[in-house]
């Protein structure tokens, strides 16, 4: 079994590197490919190899998805808000620092997720019915708080409501999109329009400043606080149904501002992203709930391996992914001197083509509408976090049985 775990981990790290570094490809996509090749893989390997590869892909993805969001400004479904401070640091010449902070946050998330998973498995299954009922109330309370403390509550509510309606429309009519993107493929044009294209259209011009790395400018207290807050948010969305790392990003803005504390916010969201993966596995084994496509793929295997084997694979994958993330952070220097305007337009063209490829004309429509909505916060001087209504409103509707 140990050889299957090790080989599956190495294979999964490779798959996770592809999904993390190539925008538009998610770990769920790679897990689906592995599941379709199950019969072929089982002819050579045991089931623990396949399961280890799937979970290692997910863990590696949570480490490396910060690279394209930092250097190119393209948000992944799990890094929608984190792309704002990370790409801003890159435009200040601190891209490598942003990626290294993200890697540090993910590593802290791995260390904290293992005891959290054990505690959740022992305590929460008996409380699951009450927890399921209260999800919408928690999200509603957080959204209400964020709107009330806004500089302009009226505009904040308007942006939140309109983006929420757009989210309901996009997810409700996702069946109109092409199957290439999978069931949740519409999230790519939705979040890319709100947090990618809309931001790049307003981005600075000129040449990319020289990239340098003098060190991580983050006090130890901020590292501890960000790690704990991010892990708590990741544990929450990892266990509760209907939530995702994008929801954790929005929750964290109520305690860590991405504009006032960008480095701590990057660290916290990265920790949340990785903890979400591990707690999703715990929820799968404890209460048989699938929180993402990777868990669904593992559940579809002909033989379920023990949870300890998959957790071991995830821990080993985290070590490899951390080293890979540090390696790719050094590519920041290649962006020095690039024309920012040309780079932004090139990224926008890539996002448009990718949206059309994954979701067809419907994806193009969603991207256009999301870009228009995402452009509003900069015009009325409210934070872009209120665009997270596109995720939070559908989650509330699902929790209250309205969708």
């Amino acid at each position: 079994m140990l050889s299957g775990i090790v080989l599956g981990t190495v294979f999964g790290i490779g798959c996770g590197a592809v999904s993390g570094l190539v925008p538009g490809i998610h770990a769920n996509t790679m897990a689906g490919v592995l599941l379709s090749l199950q019969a072929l893989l089982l002819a050579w390997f045991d089931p623990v190899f396949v399961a280890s590869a799937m979970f290692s892909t997910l863990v590696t993805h949570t480490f490396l998805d910060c690279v394209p969001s930092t250097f190119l400004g393209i948000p992944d479904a799990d890094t929608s808000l984190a792309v704002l401070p990370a790409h801003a640091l890159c435009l200040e010449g601190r891209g490598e620092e942003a990626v290294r902070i993200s890697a540090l946050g993910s590593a802290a998330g791995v260390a904290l997720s293992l005891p959290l998973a054990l505690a959740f498995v022992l305590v929460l299954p008996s409380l699951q019915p009450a927890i399921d009922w209260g999800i919408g109330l928690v999200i509603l309370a957080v959204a209400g708080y964020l709107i009330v403390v806004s500089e302009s509550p009226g505009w904040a509510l308007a942006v939140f409501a309109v983006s929420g309606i757009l989210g309901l429309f996009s997810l409700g009519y996702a069946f109109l999109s092409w199957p290439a993107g999978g069931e949740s493929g519409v999230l790519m044009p939705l979040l890319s329009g709100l947090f990618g294209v809309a931001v790049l259209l307003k981005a600075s011009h000129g040449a990319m400043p020289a990239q340098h790395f003098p060190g991580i400018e983050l006090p130890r207290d901020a590292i501890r606080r960000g790690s704990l807050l991010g892990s708590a948010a990741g544990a929450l969305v990892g266990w509760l149904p209907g939530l995702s790392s994008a929801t954790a990003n929005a929750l964290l803005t109520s305690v860590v501002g991405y504009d006032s504390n960008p480095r701590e916010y990057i660290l916290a969201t990265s920790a949340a992203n990785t903890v979400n993966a591990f707690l999703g596995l715990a929820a799968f084994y404890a209460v048989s709930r699938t929180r993402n496509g990777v868990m669904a793929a593992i559940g579809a295997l002909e033989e379920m391996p023990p949870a300890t084997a998959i957790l071991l694979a995830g821990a080993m994958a985290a070590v490899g992914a951390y080293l890979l993330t540090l390696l790719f952070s050094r590519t920041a220097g290649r962006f020095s001197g690039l024309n920012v305007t040309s780079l932004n337009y090139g990224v926008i063209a890539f996002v448009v083509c990718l949206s059309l490829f994954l979701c067809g004309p419907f994806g193009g429509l969603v991207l256009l509408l999301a870009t228009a909505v995402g452009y509003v916060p900069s015009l009325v001087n409210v934070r872009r976090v209120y665009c997270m209504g596109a995720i939070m409103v559908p989650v509330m509707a699902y929790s209250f049985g309205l969708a």
Side-chain angles (χ1 to χ4, degrees), residues 155 159 162-163 166 189-190 192-199 201-202 364-380 384 387:
W155 277 113
V159 171
V162 172
S163 62
L166 178 60
L190 176 63
S192 292
L194 292 170
F195 300 99
V197 176
V199 175
L201 287 174
K202 292 281 290 184
L365 174 63
V366 170
L367 180 66
L368 180 62
L369 294 175
T371 301
V373 174
Y375 206 78
V376 173
S378 61
L379 299 177
V380 298
R384 200 171 299 274
C387 290

Side-chain angles (χ1 to χ4, degrees), residues 256-273:
V256 183
Y258 62 78
D259 44 3
S260 57
N261 298 301
R263 290 171 174 81
E264 186 177 345
Y265 186 78
I266 294 170
L267 184 135
T269 52
S270 298
N273 197 12

Side-chain angles (χ1 to χ4, degrees), residues 159-213:
V159 171
F160 184 84
V162 172
S163 62
I165 293 171
L166 178 60
L168 289 171
F169 167 76
S170 303
L171 295 171
Y173 290 91
F175 60 87
L176 296 175
S177 63
W178 289 354
E183 294 182 1
S184 60
V186 73
L187 287 176
M188 189 272 164
L190 176 63
L191 295 176
S192 292
L194 292 170
F195 300 99
V197 176
V199 175
L200 294 175
L201 287 174
K202 292 281 290 184
S204 59
H205 303 284
M208 182 78 76
Q211 299 290 313
H212 55 281
F213 177 63

Side-chain angles (χ1 to χ4, degrees), residues 107-341:
V110 174
L112 293 171
S113 62
L114 297 179
L116 278 173
L118 178 61
F120 276 34
V121 167
L122 293 176
V123 175
L124 293 186
S126 60
L127 304 176
Q128 195 64 39
I131 291 173
D132 291 345
W133 180 84
I135 296 170
L137 295 178
V138 172
I139 301 299
L140 180 62
V142 172
Y145 172 77
L146 291 174
I147 291 171
V148 169
V149 300
S150 169
E151 302 86 350
S152 178
W155 277 113
L157 177 60
V159 171
F160 184 84
V162 172
S163 62
I165 293 171
L166 178 60
L168 289 171
F169 167 76
S170 303
L171 295 171
Y173 290 91
F175 60 87
L176 296 175
S177 63
W178 289 354
E183 294 182 1
S184 60
V186 73
L187 287 176
M188 189 272 164
L190 176 63
L191 295 176
S192 292
L194 292 170
F195 300 99
V197 176
V199 175
L200 294 175
L201 287 174
K202 292 281 290 184
S204 59
H205 303 284
M208 182 78 76
Q211 299 290 313
H212 55 281
F213 177 63
I216 295 178
E217 295 183 3
L218 199 60
R220 290 187 178 181
D221 289 343
I223 293 176
R224 285 193 291 267
R225 183 173 59 249
S227 299
L228 291 174
L229 290 173
S231 297
L236 180 70
V237 302
W239 189 274
L240 299 180
L243 306 186
S244 66
S245 292
T247 314
N249 288 185
L251 294 175
L252 286 169
T253 58
S254 62
V255 287
V256 183
Y258 62 78
D259 44 3
S260 57
N261 298 301
R263 290 171 174 81
E264 186 177 345
Y265 186 78
I266 294 170
L267 184 135
T269 52
S270 298
N273 197 12
T274 302
V275 170
N276 179 24
F278 281 89
L279 267 294
L281 180 69
F284 173 65
Y285 274 90
V287 294
S288 300
R289 301 276 186 94
T290 56
R291 297 294 187 253
N292 53 59
V294 174
M295 295 303 107
I298 292 176
L301 293 175
E302 295 179 359
E303 180 182 340
M304 284 290 298
T308 51
I310 304 181
L311 282 174
L312 177 60
M316 291 192 297
V319 176
Y322 179 78
L323 297 176
L324 274 179
T325 307
L326 296 186
L327 175 65
F328 281 104
S329 71
R330 298 173 184 171
T331 62
R334 298 182 181 180
F335 292 87
S336 300
L338 284 180
N339 185 286
V340 175
T341 304

